[in-house]
C-alpha cells in the first residue's frame, strides 16, 4: 500500500493487437489497464502488436488510468524487443507506468529485468509488476515481494494469474475458490511484507455478473487492492466492491475526528457507541479516507 494511495480497484486487460479496445480504454471507468503482448496476442501478430502499442502510448489520452504493458516472458524470442520498445517510449516520456513481467518465479528474475531497463535508459519512473502464476512463484512470493524494498528493483505490485495456477496445479476454479484460498492469502501477506500492492486474477465468465461480483467481494475481504478484469462490464461491480462503503467512510471520519481532539491527544484507546478503537484504527481510517478522496478528486 503506497502512502499516497493509488486506486487499483479495477485493472482491465486488453489484447495489444486490438486497436478498438485500446481506443475504448481511454473512456472506461477502470483505475488501470494492462495492454497485453503475451497470452492475448498470437505469435504471428506479436511484432505488429508491439508497434500498435507503442503508437497508442505515444498518442496518450489515458487520463488518470494507470497504464501497464504485459510483455512476453523473459525466455521468449519477443522479450528483448518488447522491453526495448517500452524503455524507448518511457525515455521519450511516452512510456507506460509499469511493465508487467509474466511467469516471475524468483527475485533474481526481476533483478535481471530491472538491470536491463537501466541499461536501456528507462527512467526510474517506469515500474515493474510481477505475475504470480506458477507454483514456484507462489512458494517464493515472500522473497519476490521483499525484493521491492530495494527501489532499484522497481517492483510496485504483484498480479495473480489464477488461470495459469489452475493449469499448473490441477486446482479447480470453483465458486469461493477454496482450492486456492491459501495461495491467494499467502500472496496478499507477501505483498504487504514487501510494502507493495496485490491484484487478484480474472473471472473468465464475463456474462455471469452475480458470480463475478461475489468473487470481487471475496477478494476485497482477502485484502487484495483490486482485481484484474477481462471485459468492460466487469468494471463497475469491481469498483463498487473495492470502494469503501459510505458507512465505513463515515465511521472512519468519526474515528479520525475523535483521535484528533486535543483532549484525546494522550489517549491510545477510545470508544464510540460500545466499540473499541485504538490508534491503529485511526491509521486505517486515514487510509480509507485518503483512498475515497483520491477517487472523488478524479470526478
Ligand atoms: N478492453 C476494452 N474493450 C473491450 C474489452 C477489453 N478487454 N473487451 C471487450 N471490449 C469492448 C469491445 O470492443 C466492444 O466494444 P464496442 O461494442 O464498442 O465495439 C464491447 O466491449 C463489447 O464487447 P463484447 O462484444 O461483449 O466482447 P468481445 O466478443 O468483443 O470480446 C473478449 C470478448 C473476451 C475476446 C474480450 O473481452 C477480450 O479480449 N478480453 C481481454 C482478454 C485478455 O486480454 N486476456 C489476457 C489476460 S487474461
Ligand atoms: Mg499467464
Amino acid at each position: 500500500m503506497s502512502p499516497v494511495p493509488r486506486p487499483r480497484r479495477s485493472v482491465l486487460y486488453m489484447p495489444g493487437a486490438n486497436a478498438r479496445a485500446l481506443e475504448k480504454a481511454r473512456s472506461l471507468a477502470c483505475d488501470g489497464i494492462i495492454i497485453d503482448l503475451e497470452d492475448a496476442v498470437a505469435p504471428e501478430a506479436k511484432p505488429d502488436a508491439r508497434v500498435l502499442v507503442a503508437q497508442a502510448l505515444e498518442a496518450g489520452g489515458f487520463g488518470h488510468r494507470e497504464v501497464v504493458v504485459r510483455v512476453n516472458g523473459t525466455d521468449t524470442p519477443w522479450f528483448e524487443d518488447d522491453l526495448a520498445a517500452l524503455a524507448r517510449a518511457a525515455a521519450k516520456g511516452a512510456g507506460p507506468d509499469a511493465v508487467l513481467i509474466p511467469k516471475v518465479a524468483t527475485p533474481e528474475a526481476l533483478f535481471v529485468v530491472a538491470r536491463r531497463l537501466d541499461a536501456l535508459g528507462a527512467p526510474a519512473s517506469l515500474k515493474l509488476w510481477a505475475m504470480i502464476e506458477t507454483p514456484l512463484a507462489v512458494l517464493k512470493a515472500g522473497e519476490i515481494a521483499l525484493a521491492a524494498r530495494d527501489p532499484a528493483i522497481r517492483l510496485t505490485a504483484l498480479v495473480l494469474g489464477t488461470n495459469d495456477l489452475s493449469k499448473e496445479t490441477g486446482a479447480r476454479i470453483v465458486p469461493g475458490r477454496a482450492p486456492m484460498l491459501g495461495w491467494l492469502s499467502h500472496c496478499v501477506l507477501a505483498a504487504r511484507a514487501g510494502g507493495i500492492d496485490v491484484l487478484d486474477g480474472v473471472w473468465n465468465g464475463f456474462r455471469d455478473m452475480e458470480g463475478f461480483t461475489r468473487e470481487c467481494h471475496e477478494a476485497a475481504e482477502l485484502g487484495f487492492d483490486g482485481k484484474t478484469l477481462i471485459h468492460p462490464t466487469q468494471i463497475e461491480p469491481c469498483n463498487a466492491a473495492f470502494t469503501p462503503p459510505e458507512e465505513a467512510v463515515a465511521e472512519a471520519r468519526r474515528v479520525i475526528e475523535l483521535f484528533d481532539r486535543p483532549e484525546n491527544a494522550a489517549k491510545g484507546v477510545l470508544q464510540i457507541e460500545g466499540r473499541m478503537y485504538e490508534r491503529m484504527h485511526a491509521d486505517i481510517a486515514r487510509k480509507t479516507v485518503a483512498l475515497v478522496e483520491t477517487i472523488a478528486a478524479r470526478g
Side-chain angles (χ1 to χ4, degrees), residues 202-261:
V202 302
W203 173 273
N204 300 319
F206 59 84
R207 306 260 183 252
D208 172 11
M209 297 319 289
E210 204 183 305
F212 170 71
T213 302
R214 201 180 317 115
E215 190 164 286
C216 287
H217 284 280
E218 286 163 5
E221 282 173 10
L222 283 168
F224 283 101
D225 296 285
K227 193 164 172 65
T228 47
L229 311 177
I230 52 166
H231 195 281
T233 53
Q234 295 181 325
I235 295 170
E236 211 184 292
C238 187
N239 280 345
F242 286 96
T243 304
E246 262 174 51
E247 318 82 71
V249 179
E251 181 188 339
R253 291 191 197 282
R254 264 204 313 280
V255 173
I256 294 167
E257 190 270 324
L258 204 62
F259 273 104
D260 280 351
R261 283 188 201 167

Side-chain angles (χ1 to χ4, degrees), residues 38-39 70 102-103 131 133 161 164:
E38 197 216 14
D39 288 346
R70 184 164 76 173
K103 304 267 169 14
M131 292 291 312
E133 54 184 345
D164 276 285

Side-chain angles (χ1 to χ4, degrees), residues 35-119:
I35 305 173
D36 193 18
L37 292 172
E38 197 216 14
D39 288 346
V41 179
E44 56 275 17
K46 300 236 188 233
D48 287 350
R50 189 186 302 126
V51 173
L52 188 68
V53 169
Q55 285 167 352
L57 291 171
E58 183 109 22
F62 296 101
H64 63 73
R65 294 163 202 83
E66 190 165 23
V67 178
V68 179
V69 177
R70 184 164 76 173
V71 294
N72 289 285
T74 52
D75 58 347
T76 68
W78 306 289
F79 172 73
E80 265 300 323
D81 289 341
D82 288 352
L83 203 68
L86 298 175
R88 238 184 346 261
K92 283 193 289 183
D97 294 290
V99 181
L100 175 56
I101 309 296
K103 304 267 169 14
V104 171
T106 62
E108 290 74 28
L110 286 175
F111 190 78
V112 169
V113 176
R115 286 295 76 78
R116 197 73 203 101
L117 283 175
D118 294 344

